[in-house]
Amino acid sequence: MNALPPLPGTLAPPVSDPRARDVVLDYAGMDALVADLVLPSDASMYVMSAMETSRELIRHSYYRYEFATVAVTHSLFALEHVLVERLAIDEPLQDLIERAADAGLVPAELAAELDRSRLLRDKLTQGTVTSAALGPLSAIAMVRAVFDAVSLLLRPASVAEAPAVDMSEAQPEDRLARLWEEHRRALYPDSFRGIDVEGVELTLLDADVAGLVQRELNGGLDDSGIAVLWACIADLDKVVTLINSEYCVFYFARLRTMAKLVSARYLPTAT
């Protein structure tokens, strides 16, 4: 009988991937990044397994950067499985996403994000991109879209097929509150403290937008607050395209998204 080779001595702890060092301070920081990727309790074991694996791949991309891209492609197993069951038809993923959007099962904006993940998978298959195509932060946004879509698709038909207007009215408020909670947990990019971009001091911009969002959630903005908000949006539009750090771009892009969600409440209605 062949004996197994002796076990090696104490294994060295894993080392963080230097490409992920700007995302969080340490591995524990990855918990906050994946905190809102909550598994749907009513999913099948297959779907739960695929989604949980996707979430954990993002978490472990702290040690291996490529895991982030793999997380996105793996999450599509769950999405495709749920779409086939929900629509009762077996077609290519692109067609399934389009059918779900046409049927009002997922919002058009979410469907577009899902198709971005599908395109990434196709490019990987064709060899036009590598598994290092995405960093953890970009992957989180794409996997979150799959989690959101699966949750919508698993709802009972009577709920999922309710008039779209009811969902669209509640969605911006829910999204603003969720993004605010996510932002409160996020670490400010240390390497950009005291830095200004094209005359915009990033730390002050962060504080201004955060204060405006908090005021909006606590009751609303007055005229002076709205004026400051528009100035902040102009600054955010300018700096986000000029920042050369993935984490910092993600941080300020989230600020911009929140600012624009707030501003949408103060746009004049069409007559």
Side-chain angles (χ1 to χ4, degrees):
M1 185 171 97
N2 294 327
L4 292 173
L7 292 173
T10 303
L11 296 175
V15 178
S16 63
D17 191 313
R19 293 169 291 178
R21 64 177 179 270
D22 290 333
V23 178
V24 292
L25 293 178
D26 53 27
Y27 177 68
M30 298 298 289
D31 291 342
L33 293 184
V34 301
D36 66 341
L37 298 180
V38 180
L39 297 173
S41 58
D42 49 350
S44 68
M45 287 300 296
Y46 176 86
V47 171
M48 292 272 281
S49 175
M51 295 175 73
E52 184 176 20
T53 299
S54 299
R55 185 187 64 196
E56 294 309 304
L57 281 166
I58 291 178
R59 194 195 304 270
H60 286 85
S61 66
Y62 178 79
Y63 296 116
R64 182 66 182 180
Y65 193 81
E66 283 81 359
F67 286 176
T69 300
V70 178
V72 174
T73 59
H74 197 85
S75 71
L76 294 180
F77 296 150
L79 175 66
E80 189 164 6
H81 187 85
V82 172
L83 282 169
V84 167
E85 287 195 341
R86 186 74 178 81
L87 296 169
I89 189 167
D90 190 0
E91 292 184 345
L93 182 56
Q94 180 178 7
D95 296 335
L96 292 171
I97 293 171
E98 289 176 357
R99 284 181 178 272
D102 291 343
L105 297 176
V106 296
E109 180 183 355
L110 182 57
E113 187 69 12
L114 298 173
D115 201 53
R116 267 205 327 131
S117 297
R118 193 269 310 171
L119 285 170
L120 173 65
R121 183 196 65 182
D122 291 351
K123 289 178 181 178
L124 282 165
T125 303
Q126 296 157 7
T128 56
V129 299
T130 72
S131 294
L134 296 178
L137 298 174
S138 299
I140 285 171
M142 297 173 82
V143 171
R144 183 184 291 118
V146 172
F147 271 63
D148 290 346
V150 168
S151 294
L152 287 173
L153 292 163
L154 288 176
R155 292 190 304 176
S158 59
V159 176
E161 294 164 8
V165 65
D166 293 339
M167 234 174 82
S168 63
E169 287 178 357
Q171 189 178 8
E173 294 181 7
D174 293 343
R175 190 179 180 200
L176 179 62
R178 187 186 73 182
L179 286 172
W180 172 241
E181 286 304 312
E182 181 181 308
H183 186 75
R184 289 178 60 195
R185 296 194 304 264
L187 297 170
Y188 184 87
D190 276 338
S191 58
F192 285 83
R193 291 191 185 278
I195 299 297
D196 73 73
V197 175
E198 292 292 311
V200 178
E201 212 289 312
L202 296 183
T203 310
L204 293 178
L205 180 59
D206 175 37
D208 286 344
V209 177
L212 291 166
V213 171
Q214 194 166 22
R215 284 164 57 189
E216 175 64 23
L217 290 172
N218 289 337
L221 302 179
D222 56 18
D223 289 344
S224 64
I226 296 170
V228 174
L229 175 67
W230 286 114
C232 287
I233 289 174
D235 286 342
L236 286 163
D237 286 342
K238 178 166 57 175
V239 303
V240 166
T241 61
L242 299 174
I243 297 171
N244 60 1
S245 159
E246 182 188 13
Y247 179 71
C248 195
V249 168
F250 183 85
Y251 186 94
F252 280 91
R254 178 174 52 216
L255 278 174
R256 181 173 61 179
T257 299
M258 289 192 293
K260 290 188 174 182
L261 285 172
V262 174
S263 72
R265 303 178 182 187
Y266 297 97
L267 293 173
T269 56
T271 57

